[in-house]
Amino acid sequence: MAIRKFRTWGRRFSLLKKPEFLIEIFASFTREEDYPLVPRSTLHFHKFKEQCHLLTESRTSWSLISNMLTQILVPYHVQPFMIHTISTRAHEIAGEPENRNRNTIPILVSLTVEQEPFLEDQDEPEISDHVLQLVRARKSAIDELEKVKVEGCAKPCVICLEEIVNGSEATRMPCFHVYHESCIVNWLEKSHLCPLCRFEMPVEFS
Ligand SMILES: [Zn+2]
Ligand SMILES: [Zn+2]
């Protein structure tokens, strides 16, 4: 239902000739088979046209990019870093002097998704399922997240892929997944699901 709504907006706005991005996404899905040990890969390609400001404002960009990735069947758990990167780059590209007066700004996105071999027998993800789950977490639940001191081997935060430095303070979800505080707060303001395991945080109106 949400996808249909975005399409309608896109058409209405294009009549006003506001600048838009032409986004071409090439997603390569690789899967290593046990026998023979040769990676198989399939390529998914999709073109999207979106108003520039919808893609550069954090209020709208995360759900918009997540919808695009879901349409080309990128699994939810690998989306956080891609969304972070695409929205950041889109913002930079829109601000480049040579793009200021263009009506259409082309963006090429090339991404690789490594699939687990056991996923082969599973059903294709249901698109409506993913789209409906982009509901922000309740503010009080975000405020109450546990702060922990990171000890032991340093791990990357899957949202920004930067290391969570040993000895620093990080934020732990009730499912025990740990992220940088700013990364997970920003994420939960768009989606109430843990980026790693889809643990459900309480939502605003329940
Ligand atoms: Zn982070
Ligand atoms: Zn989790």
Side-chain angles (χ1 to χ4, degrees), residues 125-175:
E126 275 186 41
I127 288 174
S128 57
D129 180 46
H130 289 267
V131 173
L132 287 174
Q133 280 166 341
L134 268 173
V135 178
R136 57 167 294 164
R138 191 191 297 156
K139 194 183 175 301
S140 60
I142 299 176
D143 292 342
E144 284 162 15
L145 282 174
E146 192 185 359
K147 306 274 185 298
V148 292
K149 195 174 174 199
V150 180
E151 285 168 72
C153 58
K155 279 185 179 175
C157 159
V158 299
I159 298 173
C160 66
L161 294 195
E162 300 283 332
E163 194 177 285
I164 303 174
V165 181
N166 223 335
S168 68
E169 201 184 64
T171 298
R172 183 159 69 186
M173 295 268 290
C175 55

Side-chain angles (χ1 to χ4, degrees), residues 92-190:
E92 290 166 5
I93 290 167
E96 283 169 7
E98 66 267 33
N99 289 330
R100 292 265 166 79
N101 298 316
R102 293 174 95 162
N103 279 334
T104 306
I105 304 172
I107 295 187
L108 204 73
V109 179
S110 166
L111 50 93
T112 306
V113 180
E114 279 175 38
Q115 290 174 303
E116 303 291 335
F118 65 82
L119 285 178
E120 185 148 39
D121 296 331
Q122 290 182 355
D123 295 336
E124 294 287 306
E126 275 186 41
I127 288 174
S128 57
D129 180 46
H130 289 267
V131 173
L132 287 174
Q133 280 166 341
L134 268 173
V135 178
R136 57 167 294 164
R138 191 191 297 156
K139 194 183 175 301
S140 60
I142 299 176
D143 292 342
E144 284 162 15
L145 282 174
E146 192 185 359
K147 306 274 185 298
V148 292
K149 195 174 174 199
V150 180
E151 285 168 72
C153 58
K155 279 185 179 175
C157 159
V158 299
I159 298 173
C160 66
L161 294 195
E162 300 283 332
E163 194 177 285
I164 303 174
V165 181
N166 223 335
S168 68
E169 201 184 64
T171 298
R172 183 159 69 186
M173 295 268 290
C175 55
F176 287 91
H177 285 123
V178 177
Y179 306 93
H180 294 120
E181 182 183 6
S182 60
C183 291
I184 192 62
V185 168
N186 195 17
W187 174 257
L188 290 172
E189 282 170 356
K190 281 98 189 171

Side-chain angles (χ1 to χ4, degrees), residues 175 177 194 196-197 199:
C175 55
H177 285 123
C194 170
L196 279 167
C197 70
F199 171 87

